Protein backbone atom coordinates (compact mmCIF):
# COMPACT_ATOMS: atom_id res chain seq x y z
CA UNK A 1 0.00 0.00 0.00
CA UNK A 2 1.58 3.26 -1.14
CA UNK A 3 0.43 6.59 0.27
CA UNK A 4 0.72 8.89 -2.73
CA UNK A 5 -0.46 12.15 -1.18
CA UNK A 6 -2.12 13.51 1.94
CA UNK A 7 -4.70 16.29 2.31
CA UNK A 8 -5.42 18.22 5.52
CA UNK A 9 -8.59 20.19 6.16
CA UNK A 10 -9.57 22.28 9.16
CA UNK A 11 -13.34 22.46 9.55
CA UNK A 12 -15.84 24.11 11.85
CA UNK A 13 -19.37 22.78 12.35
CA UNK A 14 -22.10 24.13 14.65
CA UNK A 15 -23.43 21.69 17.24
CA UNK A 16 -27.15 20.91 17.28
CA UNK A 17 -27.17 22.01 20.92
CA UNK A 18 -24.45 23.38 23.24
CA UNK A 19 -22.41 20.80 25.14
CA UNK A 20 -21.12 21.65 28.63
CA UNK A 21 -18.63 19.74 30.79
CA UNK A 22 -16.42 20.72 33.73
CA UNK A 23 -14.07 22.21 31.09
CA UNK A 24 -16.71 24.68 29.91
CA UNK A 25 -19.37 25.04 27.21
CA UNK A 26 -18.93 24.62 23.45
CA UNK A 27 -21.37 25.67 20.73
CA UNK A 28 -19.44 24.43 17.71
CA UNK A 29 -16.69 21.97 16.87
CA UNK A 30 -13.34 22.72 15.22
CA UNK A 31 -11.54 19.62 13.95
CA UNK A 32 -9.23 18.31 11.24
CA UNK A 33 -9.88 15.80 8.49
CA UNK A 34 -7.02 13.83 6.95
CA UNK A 35 -7.36 12.22 3.52
CA UNK A 36 -4.74 9.77 2.26
CA UNK A 37 -4.62 8.72 -1.39
CA UNK A 38 -3.29 5.55 -2.96
CA UNK A 39 -4.12 3.39 -5.95
CA UNK A 40 -7.04 5.57 -6.97
CA UNK A 41 -8.66 5.20 -3.54
CA UNK A 42 -9.08 7.62 -0.62
CA UNK A 43 -8.90 6.89 3.10
CA UNK A 44 -10.33 9.30 5.66
CA UNK A 45 -9.45 10.03 9.28
CA UNK A 46 -10.60 12.64 11.78
CA UNK A 47 -8.46 14.42 14.36
CA UNK A 48 -10.39 14.85 17.61
CA UNK A 49 -8.13 17.56 19.08
CA UNK A 50 -10.26 20.49 20.18
CA UNK A 51 -9.74 24.21 19.66
CA UNK A 52 -8.66 24.68 23.30
CA UNK A 53 -6.15 22.58 25.34
CA UNK A 54 -8.57 21.52 28.09
CA UNK A 55 -9.25 17.82 27.49
CA UNK A 56 -5.72 17.34 26.12
CA UNK A 57 -2.57 19.40 25.62
CA UNK A 58 -3.16 18.95 21.90
CA UNK A 59 -5.28 21.41 19.96
CA UNK A 60 -6.46 21.53 16.36
CA UNK A 61 -3.70 24.07 15.69
CA UNK A 62 -0.90 21.97 17.19
CA UNK A 63 -2.18 18.87 15.38
CA UNK A 64 -2.15 20.75 12.06
CA UNK A 65 1.47 21.78 12.65
CA UNK A 66 2.63 18.30 13.70
CA UNK A 67 0.81 16.60 10.85
CA UNK A 68 1.97 18.99 8.13
CA UNK A 69 5.58 19.38 9.27
CA UNK A 70 6.39 15.97 10.73
CA UNK A 71 3.90 13.12 10.35
CA UNK A 72 2.83 13.62 6.74
CA UNK A 73 6.48 13.72 5.53
CA UNK A 74 7.02 10.39 7.32
CA UNK A 75 4.14 8.72 5.45
CA UNK A 76 3.61 10.54 2.15
CA UNK A 77 5.24 8.44 -0.56
CA UNK A 78 5.79 5.51 1.82
CA UNK A 79 5.21 1.90 0.88
CA UNK A 80 3.44 0.17 3.78
CA UNK A 81 2.90 -3.55 4.13
CA UNK A 82 -0.36 -2.74 5.93
CA UNK A 83 -2.01 0.10 7.81
CA UNK A 84 -0.57 -1.24 11.08
CA UNK A 85 2.87 -0.13 9.87
CA UNK A 86 1.84 3.53 9.90
CA UNK A 87 2.12 3.76 13.69
CA UNK A 88 5.66 2.39 13.67
CA UNK A 89 6.73 4.94 11.06
CA UNK A 90 5.71 7.76 13.41
CA UNK A 91 7.25 6.64 16.71
CA UNK A 92 10.13 9.13 16.41
CA UNK A 93 7.58 11.82 17.25
CA UNK A 94 6.83 11.81 20.97
CA UNK A 95 3.26 12.27 22.09
CA UNK A 96 0.79 14.04 19.77
CA UNK A 97 -1.46 11.00 19.85
CA UNK A 98 -4.43 12.78 18.30
CA UNK A 99 -2.41 13.99 15.34
CA UNK A 100 -0.98 10.49 14.88
CA UNK A 101 -4.40 8.90 15.17
CA UNK A 102 -5.89 11.06 12.43
CA UNK A 103 -3.45 9.93 9.74
CA UNK A 104 -3.07 6.39 11.10
CA UNK A 105 -6.83 5.83 11.02
CA UNK A 106 -7.00 7.26 7.51
CA UNK A 107 -4.39 4.68 6.52
CA UNK A 108 -6.55 1.90 7.98
CA UNK A 109 -9.52 3.16 5.95
CA UNK A 110 -7.36 3.26 2.81
CA UNK A 111 -6.04 -0.25 3.42
CA UNK A 112 -9.52 -1.69 3.91
CA UNK A 113 -10.92 0.13 0.87
CA UNK A 114 -8.08 -1.16 -1.31
CA UNK A 115 -8.78 -4.69 -0.10
CA UNK A 116 -12.53 -4.20 -0.63
CA UNK A 117 -13.44 -5.19 2.94
CA UNK A 118 -15.09 -3.40 5.88
CA UNK A 119 -12.63 -1.90 8.33
CA UNK A 120 -13.77 -4.18 11.14
CA UNK A 121 -12.38 -7.20 9.31
CA UNK A 122 -8.85 -5.74 9.39
CA UNK A 123 -9.23 -4.73 13.04
CA UNK A 124 -10.37 -8.20 14.11
CA UNK A 125 -13.94 -7.30 14.97
CA UNK A 126 -17.12 -9.14 14.05
CA UNK A 127 -19.38 -6.56 12.40
CA UNK A 128 -22.14 -7.01 14.96
CA UNK A 129 -24.48 -4.10 15.80
CA UNK A 130 -22.95 -1.88 18.48
CA UNK A 131 -24.76 -1.07 21.74
CA UNK A 132 -25.17 2.68 22.02
CA UNK A 133 -25.13 4.98 25.03
CA UNK A 134 -25.45 8.72 25.19
CA UNK A 135 -23.44 11.47 26.88
CA UNK A 136 -25.39 14.42 28.29
CA UNK A 137 -23.67 17.66 29.15
CA UNK A 138 -24.33 19.78 32.23
CA UNK A 139 -27.84 21.22 31.96
CA UNK A 140 -29.23 24.57 33.14
CA UNK A 141 -31.52 22.89 35.69
CA UNK A 142 -32.48 19.52 37.14
CA UNK A 143 -35.79 19.66 35.32
CA UNK A 144 -33.95 20.28 32.03
CA UNK A 145 -31.68 17.31 32.78
CA UNK A 146 -34.63 15.01 33.41
CA UNK A 147 -36.30 16.15 30.20
CA UNK A 148 -33.12 15.59 28.21
CA UNK A 149 -32.65 12.08 29.63
CA UNK A 150 -36.28 11.18 28.98
CA UNK A 151 -35.89 12.26 25.36
CA UNK A 152 -32.73 10.22 24.87
CA UNK A 153 -34.28 7.12 26.41
CA UNK A 154 -37.26 7.53 24.10
CA UNK A 155 -34.78 7.40 21.21
CA UNK A 156 -33.64 3.98 22.43
CA UNK A 157 -30.26 4.60 24.07
CA UNK A 158 -29.19 1.79 26.39
CA UNK A 159 -27.02 3.79 28.80
CA UNK A 160 -26.89 7.38 29.98
CA UNK A 161 -23.76 9.25 31.02
CA UNK A 162 -24.07 12.65 32.65
CA UNK A 163 -21.28 15.16 33.07
CA UNK A 164 -20.63 16.29 36.64
CA UNK A 165 -18.55 18.91 38.41
CA UNK A 166 -18.41 20.29 41.98
CA UNK A 167 -21.85 21.67 42.73
CA UNK A 168 -23.50 19.54 40.03
CA UNK A 169 -22.99 15.92 41.01
CA UNK A 170 -24.87 14.12 43.79
CA UNK A 171 -28.26 15.74 43.28
CA UNK A 172 -28.45 15.28 39.48
CA UNK A 173 -27.40 11.63 39.80
CA UNK A 174 -29.86 11.05 42.66
CA UNK A 175 -32.74 12.66 40.78
CA UNK A 176 -32.14 10.45 37.75
CA UNK A 177 -31.84 7.31 39.84
CA UNK A 178 -35.15 8.05 41.59
CA UNK A 179 -36.82 8.73 38.25
CA UNK A 180 -35.26 5.71 36.49
CA UNK A 181 -34.47 3.00 39.07
CA UNK A 182 -33.15 0.48 36.53
CA UNK A 183 -31.36 2.90 34.19
CA UNK A 184 -27.78 2.04 33.24
CA UNK A 185 -26.35 5.31 34.56
CA UNK A 186 -22.82 6.64 34.90
CA UNK A 187 -21.17 9.97 35.67
CA UNK A 188 -18.15 11.63 34.07
CA UNK A 189 -16.12 14.21 36.00
CA UNK A 190 -13.45 15.05 33.39
CA UNK A 191 -10.84 15.39 36.17
CA UNK A 192 -12.86 18.01 38.11
CA UNK A 193 -12.15 16.66 41.63
CA UNK A 194 -9.22 16.03 44.00
CA UNK A 195 -8.56 13.24 46.46
CA UNK A 196 -9.81 15.57 49.19
CA UNK A 197 -13.28 15.09 47.65
CA UNK A 198 -13.26 11.33 48.28
CA UNK A 199 -15.85 11.43 51.08
CA UNK A 200 -18.13 13.60 48.97
CA UNK A 201 -17.82 11.30 45.95
CA UNK A 202 -18.60 8.33 48.18
CA UNK A 203 -22.09 9.81 48.29
CA UNK A 204 -22.56 8.30 44.84
CA UNK A 205 -22.05 4.78 46.18
CA UNK A 206 -25.71 4.21 47.09
CA UNK A 207 -26.95 5.08 43.57
CA UNK A 208 -25.92 1.83 41.80
CA UNK A 209 -23.93 3.65 39.12
CA UNK A 210 -22.11 1.73 36.42
CA UNK A 211 -19.00 3.85 37.05
CA UNK A 212 -17.53 7.24 37.75
CA UNK A 213 -15.29 8.27 34.88
CA UNK A 214 -12.01 10.19 35.35
CA UNK A 215 -12.75 11.85 38.70
CA UNK A 216 -9.18 13.12 39.35
CA UNK A 217 -6.29 14.67 37.45
CA UNK A 218 -5.55 13.32 33.98
CA UNK A 219 -1.92 12.43 34.86
CA UNK A 220 -2.35 10.95 38.36
CA UNK A 221 -2.73 7.17 38.44
CA UNK A 222 -1.61 6.96 42.07
CA UNK A 223 -4.36 9.16 43.48
CA UNK A 224 -6.95 7.32 41.39
CA UNK A 225 -5.75 4.10 43.03
CA UNK A 226 -6.22 5.69 46.46
CA UNK A 227 -9.69 6.95 45.50
CA UNK A 228 -10.77 3.62 43.99
CA UNK A 229 -9.95 1.91 47.29
CA UNK A 230 -12.39 4.27 49.07
CA UNK A 231 -15.34 3.95 46.67
CA UNK A 232 -17.63 1.05 45.90
CA UNK A 233 -18.61 2.76 42.63
CA UNK A 234 -16.21 1.45 39.94
CA UNK A 235 -13.66 3.99 38.73
CA UNK A 236 -13.17 4.24 34.97
CA UNK A 237 -10.16 6.01 33.48
CA UNK A 238 -10.24 8.08 30.30
CA UNK A 239 -7.81 11.02 30.03
CA UNK A 240 -5.20 9.18 32.10
CA UNK A 241 -4.87 6.33 29.60
CA UNK A 242 -2.92 7.53 26.57
CA UNK A 243 -0.62 4.52 26.21
CA UNK A 244 -0.79 0.79 26.77
CA UNK A 245 2.02 1.07 29.33
CA UNK A 246 0.08 3.56 31.46
CA UNK A 247 -2.97 1.31 31.27
CA UNK A 248 -0.93 -1.65 32.48
CA UNK A 249 0.37 0.41 35.40
CA UNK A 250 -3.15 1.59 36.27
CA UNK A 251 -4.47 -1.96 36.28
CA UNK A 252 -1.53 -3.23 38.35
CA UNK A 253 -2.23 -0.51 40.92
CA UNK A 254 -6.00 -1.09 40.87
CA UNK A 255 -6.60 2.52 39.91
CA UNK A 256 -9.62 1.51 37.81
CA UNK A 257 -11.95 -1.38 37.08
CA UNK A 258 -13.07 -0.16 33.65
CA UNK A 259 -11.26 1.65 30.82
CA UNK A 260 -12.66 3.99 28.18
CA UNK A 261 -10.92 3.53 24.83
CA UNK A 262 -10.69 6.46 22.43
CA UNK A 263 -8.45 5.91 19.40
CA UNK A 264 -7.70 9.64 19.22
CA UNK A 265 -6.32 9.55 22.75
CA UNK A 266 -4.35 6.36 22.10
CA UNK A 267 -2.81 7.31 18.75
CA UNK A 268 -5.06 5.30 16.46
CA UNK A 269 -6.48 1.86 15.85
CA UNK A 270 -3.34 -0.22 16.42
CA UNK A 271 -2.71 1.07 19.95
CA UNK A 272 -6.44 0.93 20.74
CA UNK A 273 -6.51 -2.71 19.72
CA UNK A 274 -3.49 -3.46 21.92
CA UNK A 275 -5.21 -1.74 24.86
CA UNK A 276 -8.37 -3.74 24.16
CA UNK A 277 -6.36 -6.95 24.21
CA UNK A 278 -4.60 -6.03 27.46
CA UNK A 279 -7.91 -5.33 29.18
CA UNK A 280 -9.42 -8.55 27.84
CA UNK A 281 -6.49 -10.53 29.24
CA UNK A 282 -7.10 -8.93 32.67
CA UNK A 283 -10.87 -9.40 32.62
CA UNK A 284 -11.40 -5.62 32.52
CA UNK A 285 -14.35 -4.44 30.40
CA UNK A 286 -13.91 -1.55 27.97
CA UNK A 287 -16.24 0.82 26.16
CA UNK A 288 -15.74 3.33 23.38
CA UNK A 289 -15.76 6.99 24.34
CA UNK A 290 -16.73 9.90 22.12
CA UNK A 291 -15.20 13.27 21.27
CA UNK A 292 -18.09 14.97 19.44
CA UNK A 293 -16.89 13.45 16.17
CA UNK A 294 -18.49 13.97 12.81
CA UNK A 295 -19.85 10.92 11.03
CA UNK A 296 -16.36 10.18 9.67
CA UNK A 297 -14.79 9.73 13.08
CA UNK A 298 -17.99 8.12 14.37
CA UNK A 299 -17.84 5.46 11.62
CA UNK A 300 -14.27 4.61 12.64
CA UNK A 301 -15.47 4.28 16.23
CA UNK A 302 -18.24 1.88 15.23
CA UNK A 303 -15.82 -0.48 13.50
CA UNK A 304 -13.42 -0.51 16.45
CA UNK A 305 -16.33 -1.11 18.85
CA UNK A 306 -17.01 -4.52 17.27
CA UNK A 307 -13.94 -6.02 18.98
CA UNK A 308 -15.17 -8.59 21.52
CA UNK A 309 -14.17 -6.90 24.81
CA UNK A 310 -16.24 -3.79 24.07
CA UNK A 311 -18.95 -5.18 26.34
CA UNK A 312 -20.41 -1.91 27.66
CA UNK A 313 -22.47 0.57 25.61
CA UNK A 314 -20.25 3.30 24.23
CA UNK A 315 -20.67 6.98 23.38
CA UNK A 316 -21.12 6.26 19.66
CA UNK A 317 -24.47 7.98 19.29
CA UNK A 318 -26.51 9.03 16.27
CA UNK A 319 -25.15 11.69 13.90
CA UNK A 320 -28.19 13.92 14.32
CA UNK A 321 -27.51 14.43 18.03
CA UNK A 322 -24.51 16.58 17.14
CA UNK A 323 -24.51 17.82 13.54
CA UNK A 324 -27.38 18.55 11.16
CA UNK A 325 -26.47 17.87 8.49
CA UNK A 326 -23.49 15.60 9.15
CA UNK A 327 -20.59 15.11 6.72
CA UNK A 328 -21.80 11.65 5.69
CA UNK A 329 -24.95 10.33 4.05
CA UNK A 330 -26.88 8.51 5.24
CA UNK A 331 -26.10 9.50 8.80
CA UNK A 332 -25.46 7.08 11.64
CA UNK A 333 -28.70 6.19 13.42
CA UNK A 334 -29.76 4.25 16.50
CA UNK A 335 -32.19 1.37 16.04
CA UNK A 336 -35.22 0.87 18.27
CA UNK A 337 -33.30 -1.76 20.27
CA UNK A 338 -30.58 0.75 21.16
CA UNK A 339 -27.94 -0.57 18.78
CA UNK A 340 -26.25 0.87 15.69
CA UNK A 341 -25.57 -1.12 12.54
CA UNK A 342 -21.94 -1.10 11.45
CA UNK A 343 -21.50 0.04 7.83
CA UNK A 344 -20.82 -2.96 5.60
CA UNK A 345 -19.10 -1.27 2.65
CA UNK A 346 -15.32 -1.15 2.10
CA UNK A 347 -13.28 0.78 4.67
CA UNK A 348 -15.38 2.80 7.09
CA UNK A 349 -18.25 2.18 4.69
CA UNK A 350 -19.87 5.61 4.61
CA UNK A 351 -20.35 8.07 1.76
CA UNK A 352 -18.68 11.40 2.46
CA UNK A 353 -20.56 14.47 1.26
CA UNK A 354 -17.82 16.48 -0.45
CA UNK A 355 -19.99 19.59 -0.76
CA UNK A 356 -20.63 19.69 2.97
CA UNK A 357 -16.94 19.12 3.69
CA UNK A 358 -16.00 21.95 1.35
CA UNK A 359 -18.49 24.42 2.81
CA UNK A 360 -17.29 23.72 6.37
CA UNK A 361 -13.57 23.90 5.50
CA UNK A 362 -11.68 26.93 6.81
CA UNK A 363 -8.13 25.85 5.86
CA UNK A 364 -6.72 23.38 3.33
CA UNK A 365 -3.27 21.90 2.60
CA UNK A 366 -2.03 19.11 0.34
CA UNK A 367 1.32 17.33 0.33
CA UNK A 368 1.44 16.97 -3.46
Amino acid sequence: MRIEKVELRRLRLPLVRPFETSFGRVDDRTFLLVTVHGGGVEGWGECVAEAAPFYSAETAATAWHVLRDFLVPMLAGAELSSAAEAWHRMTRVRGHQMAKAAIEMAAWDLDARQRGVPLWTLLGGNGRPVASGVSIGIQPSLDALEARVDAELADGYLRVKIKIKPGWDLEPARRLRERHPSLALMVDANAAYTLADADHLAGLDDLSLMMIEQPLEYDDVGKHAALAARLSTPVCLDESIHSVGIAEDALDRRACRIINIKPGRMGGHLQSRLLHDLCASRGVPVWHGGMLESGIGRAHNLHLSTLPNFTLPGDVAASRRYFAPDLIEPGIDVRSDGTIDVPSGPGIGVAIESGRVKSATEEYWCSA
Side-chain angles (χ1 to χ4, degrees):
M1 178 180 71
R2 183 170 184 268
I3 296 179
E4 297 164 3
K5 71 175 182 179
V6 181
E7 295 175 283
L8 304 181
R9 294 175 174 87
R10 179 172 57 83
L11 291 79
R12 184 187 300 271
L13 285 175
L15 291 168
V16 169
R17 65 178 63 89
F19 192 77
E20 183 175 345
T21 72
S22 61
F23 299 134
R25 168 181 159 140
V26 294
D27 299 286
D28 54 28
R29 186 76 166 96
T30 295
F31 58 94
L32 310 183
L33 292 180
V34 179
T35 313
V36 295
H37 297 256
V41 180
E42 298 176 350
W44 290 76
E46 180 171 336
C47 181
V48 298
E50 299 175 342
F54 300 147
Y55 174 88
S56 164
E58 288 186 79
T59 67
T62 65
W64 182 278
H65 159 57
V66 171
L67 279 160
R68 183 193 62 195
D69 297 337
F70 297 99
L71 301 180
V72 171
M74 291 176 177
L75 291 176
E79 291 281 354
L80 307 179
S81 58
S82 69
E85 189 181 335
W87 168 265
H88 300 292
R89 296 261 183 159
M90 299 185 290
T91 54
R92 289 171 53 210
V93 174
R94 295 189 180 186
H96 298 283
Q97 309 293 61
M98 293 178 177
K100 289 176 180 175
I103 192 167
E104 191 255 19
M105 294 166 75
W108 279 93
D109 184 32
L110 178 66
D111 194 359
R113 288 178 189 266
Q114 288 186 346
R115 297 171 189 260
V117 299
L119 175 57
W120 62 261
T121 63
L122 294 189
L123 294 173
N126 55 25
R128 72 183 191 280
V130 171
S132 181
V134 67
S135 178
I136 296 176
I138 294 168
Q139 300 295 303
S141 69
L142 293 171
D143 288 344
L145 174 65
E146 290 184 344
R148 184 77 256 143
V149 169
D150 289 350
E152 302 294 3
L153 293 177
D155 281 343
Y157 289 102
L158 298 174
R159 184 227 69 205
V160 168
K161 177 174 82 174
I162 63 168
K163 298 290 187 175
I164 62 171
K165 65 180 180 178
W168 179 269
D169 45 31
L170 301 186
E171 188 57 24
R174 187 175 293 114
R175 283 277 293 266
L176 290 179
R177 178 52 73 217
E178 291 171 354
R179 188 176 182 87
H180 301 284
S182 60
L183 173 64
L185 177 65
M186 59 178 284
V187 297
D188 181 8
N190 290 115
Y193 297 87
T194 71
L195 192 56
D197 297 310
D199 289 343
H200 177 73
L201 293 174
L204 296 167
D205 284 346
D206 62 353
L207 300 181
S208 300
L209 300 179
M210 295 177 67
M211 68 193 85
I212 178 172
E213 184 181 0
Q214 196 66 43
L216 309 181
E217 280 292 335
Y218 73 96
D219 59 352
D220 202 327
V221 170
K223 286 189 172 62
H224 274 105
L227 178 65
R230 297 172 62 176
L231 302 182
S232 61
T233 302
V235 171
C236 169
L237 289 183
D238 173 6
E239 290 98 314
S240 294
I241 308 299
H242 48 84
S243 75
V244 175
I246 291 173
E248 190 167 19
D249 180 48
L251 295 177
D252 287 344
R253 299 166 74 174
R254 299 183 180 179
C256 61
R257 286 191 269 163
I258 301 168
I259 286 180
N260 168 346
I261 295 181
K262 294 176 180 174
R265 195 191 65 231
M266 292 299 298
H269 285 313
L270 177 62
Q271 295 303 305
S272 297
R273 192 172 63 181
L274 292 173
L275 175 56
H276 164 276
D277 294 348
L278 169 69
C279 291
S281 72
R282 300 287 191 94
V284 173
V286 300
W287 58 281
H288 202 304
M291 291 290 292
L292 301 179
E293 292 96 339
S294 78
I296 295 170
R298 204 166 295 273
H300 273 281
N301 298 348
L302 280 172
H303 286 273
L304 182 65
S305 296
T306 66
L307 270 65
N309 196 41
F310 282 94
T311 56
L312 302 175
D315 282 342
V316 188
S319 298
R320 60 187 168 85
R321 285 199 76 249
Y322 302 102
F323 306 108
D326 200 350
L327 300 179
I328 63 171
E329 197 63 47
I332 291 168
D333 239 327
V334 177
R335 304 192 313 182
S336 59
D337 66 354
T339 64
I340 301 177
D341 287 322
V342 181
S344 59
I348 58 175
V350 297
I352 294 160
E353 291 291 308
S354 59
R356 295 177 192 170
V357 170
K358 184 176 181 180
S359 65
T361 296
E362 297 184 335
E363 188 173 5
Y364 174 83
W365 178 86
C366 181
S367 66

